[in-house]
Amino acid sequence: MNTLTGYLRQAGTALRFLLFATLVLGVAYPLAVFGIGQLIAPYQANGSILKDSSGAPAASALIVQAAANDSGVQDPRWFHARPSAVKWDPASSSASNLGPNDQKLLDAVTTNRSEVAAAEGVGAAAVPPDAVTASGSGLDPDISPAYAQLQIARVAAANGLSTDAVASLVQQHTSSGLAAFLGQPSVNVTALNLAVAAAARPSQPAQSK
Amino acid sequence: MTFNPASFAAQVAALLIVLGALHKPLGIYMARVFEGKTSSRPERLFYRLAGIDAGTDQTWSVYLRSVLAFSAVSILAVFGLQRLQGVLPGSGSLPGVDPWIAMNTAISFVTNTNWQTYVPEATVGIFVQMCLLAVQNFLSAAVGVVVAVALIRGIARTRTQRLGNFWVDLARTSFRLLLPLAFVAAVVMVLGGVVQNFWPTDVTNQASGVSQIIPGGPVASQEAIKILGTNGGGYFNANSAHPFENPNALISIFEVFLILLIPSALPYAFGRMVGDQRQGYTVAAVMGTLWLASVSLMGWAVAAGQGTATAAAGGLGEGFEQRFGPVPSAIFATSTTLTSTGAVNVAHDSLPPLAGGVAMVNMMLGEVAPGGTGSGLYGLLILSIISVFIAGLMVGRTPEYLGKKIGPTEMKLAAMYILVTPTLVLALAGITVLLPEAMVNAPATGPHQFSEVLYAFTSGANNNGSAFGGITTSGPYLSVMMGLAMLLGRFLPIVLVLALAGSLARQGKVPASAGTVPTHGPLFGGLLLGVTVIMTALSYFPALALGPLAEGLLK
């Protein structure tokens, strides 16, 4: 009996502790971070949204944006993103979670390799690993510089731009410095494609932020 | 994707230097928090509202009853409110969470595991994330810390029944330690690109015709405590691989730093509280050595990049984010499994087989290098007691630890502690592989299928929360089995640790004699390291041989 009332008293304290701790940790704390974020870094806090020439939100610099048809074939006019386990839809996020010796993964990689080689008009051996493998999030906005190089000729031709002009855009959207040293040099396809679109219609330059 | 050894070495060295520089000031601060005699005005208000008498000093059994009552109430509240999501505000159009998933998730977050059998984007709204899950990220981390503090007091105090006041310890750890650190970390994360708002954003690319709904949410505030409290439950399904949780390689290494921050400073607080700083340094050195060995092994296994599909792709890529690549992924994977974190910035299921094996071994070590917030320290202190016992057998003297006799009672408690997780992991994984109905949820074939099951129960029973994500545990059988693994894997050890603390506190101090084995210095550190590794190897080698070793060595 004594133990039972002891437990009940403890449970009462626990419930009140949880309630008032929730007001501090679950309400006040996230609201404080929200307030500071909106004040000092609204661009980042709201999802790093890139705007197009008309000032309308066009994409998030951190999230992949792929123009693909229902069967997952990406539009030849733009730089292609890596394969995605969630079909590039930010409503969800996932890896394939297939093991390194999985037959399904082996088949997918082999298919992807021949498709990329055909799309870029290069030999299968020239296709880099990131072009044929799905990312951890399914929303990876980046590709390797090698994969970007493969795509320059196609994108330049499709948009009526010189390969030099497109190569220079790729250069501008390749990460460098500390982030590239800690991770690896990467090309942001989402921002790059907006820049290509702006260059193809020079009267309306894209503006970031 | 190629492995850059210079980048790897620079990041490992930077982590060791920064954590080395911070462990003393943070350790001193934590010791002050735990030993503080006065309460601030807001704390006194909080105690009055919660009905806490801050002046009472509890016996071990009352302290334990408070831990269990608080955890039980938390599980029921998180379960019940998830079920009511459909009628609560702040959840969009999401319905109440499925009962099996809600049960598993409630246990998972209260036990500091953060195993996620749900897909957050499709299951839980802002209310559940912010007011239930993120709050448990604070409180479950704090519970781990206060249990470690109670054990330290048991060692430091003499001839007393009293171990402190659970409620005061919990409040101080939450408000004085975790909250300020999480706040600073969250602001840094926002600056780095982590989202913190309450609405999605519609975007349309006029040139390509693509329209998307870019998600929003209080991500940075949750990410900060998820990492700092070694929790690991992601706001998004892809966890720290998601660009909104972990936008670049700088934030990635910052997250690793936060994972290791509190666990690596706790040994200093321990040394200070027992009045012998050499004890803290020895524990910290063992943790650091294990971490360094493990991260090197992980780096090697990732760089080796074994696997038929990996070879067909021409190298690493599957499951990796391009902005990270192999180096940040290897460092993160090691640190998340050597603590009870379980956040991931790379899909562990797609790692080369031996790298996945290293992640499993890290958890099997009991997550003691440096371990979860609090749980890492009490795990290593138990292993220290086992080590003095073994040393005592060698020299033929009654073992002592910091002036306390390690008698039959203490040894029984320590030995049971050591047996709990291997028993849970091997029994539950063993039962599961015998059930074809359960095994369809692990769709891989051959040794990798066994690895997915072994990884799941290793992660659950050790309260890690990372996964070989190919397995689906949302059905009734695996929800319940994983729930059991998490619940027993968390609270049986806590019962044993607090009982041990009570038993040590009752004793007087035995003066050190010529026969006392010193528990500091390289000799004891080496012994402790050896005991930790050998215990793990003896328990798990056969299971590892059937999973990652078979896959890694045969192909």
Side-chain angles (χ1 to χ4, degrees), chain B residues 405-432:
Chain B
K405 279 206 157 52
I406 304 302
T409 312
E410 289 79 14
M411 267 322 289
K412 278 180 201 157
L413 293 168
M416 279 194 281
Y417 179 102
I418 295 300
L419 289 173
V420 168
T421 32
T423 308
L424 284 173
V425 171
L426 298 173
L428 293 175
I431 293 168
T432 301

Side-chain angles (χ1 to χ4, degrees), chain A residues 39-76:
Chain A
L39 207 64
I40 64 172
Y43 170 72
Q44 293 97 314
N46 291 319
S48 306
I49 302 295
L50 302 174
K51 293 180 175 167
D52 62 19
S53 48
S54 66
S60 164
L62 296 177
I63 303 284
V64 71
Q65 189 173 63
N69 65 16
D70 289 344
S71 46
V73 178
Q74 298 187 54
D75 188 339

Side-chain angles (χ1 to χ4, degrees), chain A residues 7 10 16 29-30 44-46 57 62 64-65 82 93 96-98 100-101 113 129 134 136-137 140 181-182 184-185, chain B residues 7 11 49 66 121 190-191 196 204-205 212 221 237-238 243 308-309 312-313 317-322 349-350 551:
Chain A
Y7 266 107
Q10 298 274 20
R16 288 159 73 177
Y29 157 69
Q44 293 97 314
N46 291 319
L62 296 177
V64 71
Q65 189 173 63
R82 299 178 59 191
S93 61
S96 72
N97 287 313
L98 295 173
N101 292 298
R113 179 177 292 281
S137 64
D140 191 346
F181 173 70
L182 297 176
Q184 52 187 357
Chain B
S7 170
Q11 295 187 63
L49 291 170
S66 301
E121 288 96 326
V190 172
L191 289 171
Q196 181 79 7
T204 300
N205 183 326
Q212 291 173 299
S221 53
N237 192 40
T308 49
E318 190 71 24
F320 287 83
E321 294 286 293
Q322 172 66 32
D349 211 343
S350 301
E551 191 183 354

Side-chain angles (χ1 to χ4, degrees), chain A residues 28-147:
Chain A
Y29 157 69
L31 287 179
V33 176
F34 169 72
I36 295 234
Q38 296 297 324
L39 207 64
I40 64 172
Y43 170 72
Q44 293 97 314
N46 291 319
S48 306
I49 302 295
L50 302 174
K51 293 180 175 167
D52 62 19
S53 48
S54 66
S60 164
L62 296 177
I63 303 284
V64 71
Q65 189 173 63
N69 65 16
D70 289 344
S71 46
V73 178
Q74 298 187 54
D75 188 339
R77 201 177 149 193
W78 310 107
F79 280 93
H80 292 173
R82 299 178 59 191
S84 162
V86 295
K87 298 215 159 164
W88 309 284
D89 181 1
S92 183
S93 61
S94 182
S96 72
N97 287 313
L98 295 173
N101 292 298
D102 198 296
Q103 186 62 43
K104 276 180 281 196
L105 180 56
L106 185 59
D107 295 344
V109 163
T110 312
T111 312
N112 291 342
R113 179 177 292 281
S114 57
E115 283 176 4
V116 172
E120 311 304 344
V122 296
V127 178
D130 64 295
V132 299
T133 51
S135 64
S137 64
L139 304 177
D140 191 346
D142 294 316
I143 57 174
S144 65
Y147 188 29

Side-chain angles (χ1 to χ4, degrees), chain B residues 447-534:
Chain B
H448 200 78
Q449 185 188 30
F450 179 70
S451 291
E452 285 185 343
V453 175
L454 181 64
Y455 196 111
F457 285 106
T458 303
S459 174
N462 284 289
N463 300 135
N464 185 270
S466 66
F468 270 9
I471 195 168
T472 304
T473 58
S474 52
Y477 171 79
L478 281 172
S479 280
V480 170
M481 286 296 148
M482 283 298 292
L484 267 181
M486 294 187 284
L487 209 52
L488 298 175
R490 175 73 163 178
F491 293 109
L492 286 182
I494 285 181
V495 171
L496 297 166
V497 167
L498 289 177
L500 181 65
S503 159
L504 291 172
R506 271 195 296 276
Q507 297 185 24
K509 250 198 168 52
V510 189
S513 70
T516 304
V517 178
T519 53
H520 57 82
L523 185 64
F524 184 76
L527 180 69
L528 176 54
L529 196 73
V531 165
T532 306
V533 172
I534 290 167

